[in-house]
Amino acid sequence: MNFSSQDTQRRPVISQEPRRQAAVIPPSRRSVLALLASTVALTGPAMAQSAANPPGGAAPDAPLPGTPRQGSFSYAEIVNQARILAERPFDDTQPDIPDALKALTYDSYREIRFRRDKALWQQDGTDFRLQLFHLGFLHDRPVQIHVVSNGNAIPLPYNMALFEFGKAAVPQKLPVSLGFAGFSVTTTLNDLKLQDEVISFLGASYFRFLGRGHRYGLSARALALDVGGEADEEFPFFRSLWLERPKPESLDLVIYGLVDSPSVSGAFRFVVTPGPQTSVAVTATIIPRKPIQRIGIAPLTSMFLAGEGDREQRTDFRPEIHDSDGLMLHTGVGEWIWRPLRNPKALTISSFQDKNPRGFGLIQRDREFGHYQDLEAHYHARPGYWIEPVGEWGEGRVDLIEIPTQGEEFDNIVCCWTPKTPLEPGRQTELNYRMTSVSTTETLHAMGQVQSSFAADDVPDTAAGLVRKRFIVDFNAGDLEFYLSDPKRVTAVASVSAGSVTSTILAPNFAAKGFRAIVDVALRPGESTDLRLFLRTSLRSLTETWTVNWSAPASGGSAAPPAASGG
């Protein structure tokens, strides 16, 4: 298995809703991930240079912008740089790259590949290898990349000899100060004899990482600003990135980043631990320049086109098309919530109010190949990212932004934590959390889980002045199979924020080793309701809570988009 970021990346999606112009996802179209092909397996003997002897020769005499003083490198130094940035007006000037690189097309940029035999650290006795991404096409903002060795941050100078250019038309000579678009790191993730990509940083403040057996799908980023808000979304970007040179005995990879944008600067530290469930421990120090109404902490972004119940949204023979199929929450009071994702007709923001959340994430719970039938995208192997706050985050909400899309080439899902109290300009706020790449949520809690859910069509009841709708939810796992010997001990608990639950049916589902709940809801035309459902016995809850928002169509009209869904 050689899993790399050669997959698909997406460019921004702009909401078509008149009042919101929120872009989702950075410079990336799904097909652009194929541009990351330079990070496939390194299977042959390699001749690499160590971080102390950067590829392409000695580092420039003068430190590159963002480089800490010699011998003094620390996270505190990056925080200090972020503080200095925040005290100054935002500087949007950037080194200009040759027009020939900007003019590269998708296909011509794909011709540029990092030379496998030039990967750093191959002779250092470590399992980690560092490779670099070339500037060009959509990636026109250079980021200074450094390797930290013995307390010294060594900038990596550009050298054309690091890359194969194929048929790409590029200048014969490019300056050593050109810089790079980003980097990827490989390790023996899936096979002790092969190098597979474990993490990559490319585009704005985006990064992605893999656990064992995973294919790239959703993305993470350092910060999200005004996503789904009234104003255009602002994309913070990494000005500089640093990697600690790993030692032969290193099990972790440590990465630092300096983030900047018109509204905020920040310092980040990422500790990457590869494995079956690769984890990334994040320390974020955020310093706003000005008030920010919608700041997203630990943002995730993904794609959802069609699920098991979305017959009208399928574009071909494939039953389901998505990188993630649900938002999962572990609230501050200990409740586990599952909210299925959807491809709405208009931009939708669902907010789950909470205090000191214990976890949230976008999950690909359905792992059955037959439910996707995609031999190229491997949607069944997409990871979920689970975020666990460290310490108390206070009051706020998990926002889920769903944007309509007509194709799988666009990301249209974002989730993030939004503090109730806006961060104070000029004041440092430090947050810590751990991200984990997961295949199954059964390792997160032992309760029964939502296997799948469906909804019938809206049925107008003109005589009663209501609209009726049926929801079907299958629960399995946990202790549910045990209760199949006496199903009458299990009860379905359904509630709505508006309207009424007119009937509830619970039936054993022996095929799924669980239960099927059928809930009928009635609502006045034009109204919206939040439906919640879980299973329990007389003594305890057996499952997580399934929740969804439904808006009944106005009389004589079509269904209106839901405005919000509460936890």
Side-chain angles (χ1 to χ4, degrees):
M1 283 181 282
N2 302 325
F3 300 150
S4 80
S5 55
Q6 179 180 3
D7 192 351
T8 48
Q9 238 186 349
R10 309 152 180 127
R11 61 170 65 161
V13 175
I14 305 298
S15 164
Q16 299 303 310
E17 188 180 14
R19 291 174 56 250
R20 294 191 176 104
Q21 300 297 324
V24 178
I25 298 312
S28 27
R29 208 175 78 180
R30 266 172 125 32
S31 54
V32 177
L33 275 184
L35 309 180
L36 315 186
S38 59
T39 55
V40 293
L42 308 178
T43 56
M47 296 180 61
Q49 302 168 46
S50 70
N53 181 21
D61 294 335
L64 295 175
T67 303
R69 298 182 303 274
Q70 288 294 310
S72 67
F73 184 88
S74 67
Y75 180 62
E77 178 72 24
I78 310 303
V79 173
N80 184 56
Q81 291 187 49
R83 181 184 57 78
I84 293 172
L85 279 178
E87 292 173 350
R88 300 173 178 174
F90 174 68
D91 182 5
D92 195 30
T93 59
Q94 62 186 67
D96 195 23
I97 68 172
D99 290 338
L101 295 179
K102 296 179 182 179
L104 291 173
T105 64
Y106 164 72
D107 289 323
S108 60
Y109 183 72
R110 286 190 67 185
E111 293 284 321
I112 306 177
R113 297 171 179 263
F114 190 88
R115 294 182 181 274
R116 300 176 182 180
D117 63 337
K118 300 295 185 182
L120 274 70
W121 308 331
Q122 293 185 75
Q123 296 177 337
D124 289 2
T126 176
D127 273 345
F128 294 105
R129 307 283 186 270
L130 172 61
Q131 302 189 44
L132 303 163
F133 294 129
H134 204 282
L135 287 164
F137 186 42
L138 299 177
H139 308 294
D140 59 358
R141 181 184 286 274
V143 56
Q144 294 294 343
I145 298 174
H146 316 72
V147 171
V148 180
S149 181
N150 298 322
N152 295 315
I154 304 170
L156 300 182
Y158 174 80
N159 189 330
M160 292 187 71
L162 299 175
F163 297 92
E164 297 174 345
F165 292 88
K167 298 178 182 178
V170 299
Q172 293 299 312
K173 292 184 178 180
L174 292 170
V176 71
S177 60
L178 180 66
F180 302 96
F183 69 82
S184 68
V185 176
T186 65
T187 191
T188 51
L189 182 65
N190 300 292
D191 189 319
L192 292 174
K193 298 180 180 179
L194 297 175
Q195 286 277 324
D196 289 318
E197 190 166 310
V198 66
I199 192 167
S200 66
F201 283 70
L202 180 64
S205 69
Y206 285 76
F207 62 97
R208 312 203 303 175
F209 60 100
L210 297 171
R212 189 166 299 160
H214 289 158
R215 299 278 185 139
Y216 273 135
L218 79 168
S219 299
R221 48 178 158 165
L223 289 172
L225 303 180
D226 290 323
V227 59
E230 300 292 337
D232 289 350
E233 182 176 359
E234 182 178 312
F235 288 96
F237 61 93
F238 285 115
R239 284 196 179 273
S240 296
L241 290 163
W242 296 261
L243 300 96
E244 287 189 4
R245 179 183 177 185
K247 298 178 180 178
E249 67 274 15
S250 297
L251 298 177
D252 302 326
L253 177 71
V254 183
I255 302 168
Y256 303 86
L258 178 65
V259 166
D260 200 13
S261 79
S263 300
V264 68
S265 67
F268 285 78
R269 182 175 187 263
F270 308 91
V271 181
V272 186
T273 306
Q277 293 187 320
T278 294
S279 67
V280 181
V282 182
T283 299
T285 303
I286 304 165
I287 312 172
R289 281 190 174 87
K290 58 185 180 180
I292 304 171
Q293 293 302 314
R294 297 180 66 93
I295 185 168
I297 307 298
L300 303 175
T301 183
S302 191
M303 182 277 296
F304 184 92
L305 177 63
E308 62 260 14
D310 302 321
R311 296 185 300 273
E312 73 283 357
Q313 292 175 171
R314 298 174 188 169
T315 57
D316 50 40
F317 68 94
R318 293 170 296 171
E320 300 182 45
I321 305 168
H322 51 74
D323 285 338
S324 308
D325 55 10
L327 168 68
M328 191 169 180
L329 306 166
H330 190 197
T331 69
V333 297
E335 183 181 19
W336 289 92
I337 296 174
W338 178 260
R339 161 62 154 81
L341 298 180
R342 58 194 168 187
N343 181 5
K345 295 182 179 179
L347 185 147
T348 302
I349 302 176
S350 302
S351 294
F352 298 81
Q353 308 295 326
D354 203 0
K355 181 178 181 180
N356 297 325
R358 302 184 188 182
F360 64 92
L362 293 176
I363 305 297
Q364 184 77 316
R365 180 171 279 180
D366 190 339
R367 317 301 295 183
E368 294 291 332
F369 168 78
H371 294 175
Y372 303 95
Q373 291 294 335
D374 197 316
L375 292 172
E376 181 180 0
H378 293 270
Y379 287 119
H380 64 288
R382 304 296 203 197
Y385 287 171
W386 179 246
I387 296 170
E388 296 174 283
V390 177
E392 295 186 348
W393 281 15
E395 292 187 70
R397 65 186 188 268
V398 174
D399 282 335
L400 173 66
I401 298 97
E402 297 166 299
I403 295 178
T405 185
Q406 296 181 345
E408 63 196 290
E409 65 272 20
F410 297 111
D411 269 341
N412 63 320
I413 305 294
V414 174
C415 84
C416 58
W417 171 258
T418 302
K420 179 180 180 180
T421 303
L423 303 187
E424 183 179 336
R427 181 178 179 180
Q428 295 179 194
T429 298
E430 182 176 302
L431 294 167
N432 294 273
Y433 56 95
R434 179 177 296 275
M435 308 177 63
T436 305
S437 179
V438 300
S439 297
T440 174
T441 52
E442 291 185 31
T443 59
L444 300 178
H445 69 72
M447 303 180 74
Q449 303 190 358
V450 176
Q451 181 187 45
S452 57
S453 57
F454 307 86
D457 292 335
D458 300 332
V459 179
D461 185 344
T462 307
L466 299 171
V467 180
R468 303 184 185 276
K469 193 177 188 70
R470 169 164 286 188
F471 298 88
I472 303 97
V473 183
D474 286 327
F475 293 90
N476 68 352
D479 211 19
L480 292 181
E481 185 177 10
F482 172 76
Y483 283 93
L484 289 176
S485 61
D486 191 0
K488 294 181 180 180
R489 291 178 181 263
V490 181
T491 303
V493 181
S495 61
V496 288
S497 60
S500 61
V501 175
T502 58
S503 70
T504 302
I505 303 170
L506 184 65
N509 185 343
F510 292 97
K513 298 180 180 179
F515 289 79
R516 170 168 292 181
I518 301 174
V519 181
D520 294 323
V521 178
L523 196 60
R524 289 195 179 98
E527 290 189 343
S528 179
T529 188
D530 294 314
L531 171 60
R532 291 165 51 91
L533 172 68
F534 66 96
L535 307 185
R536 63 166 298 127
T537 67
S538 60
L539 298 177
R540 63 187 179 97
S541 298
L542 294 176
T543 69
E544 62 192 14
T545 300
W546 172 87
T547 184
V548 73
N549 177 271
W550 170 47
S551 293
S555 179
S558 58
S565 179

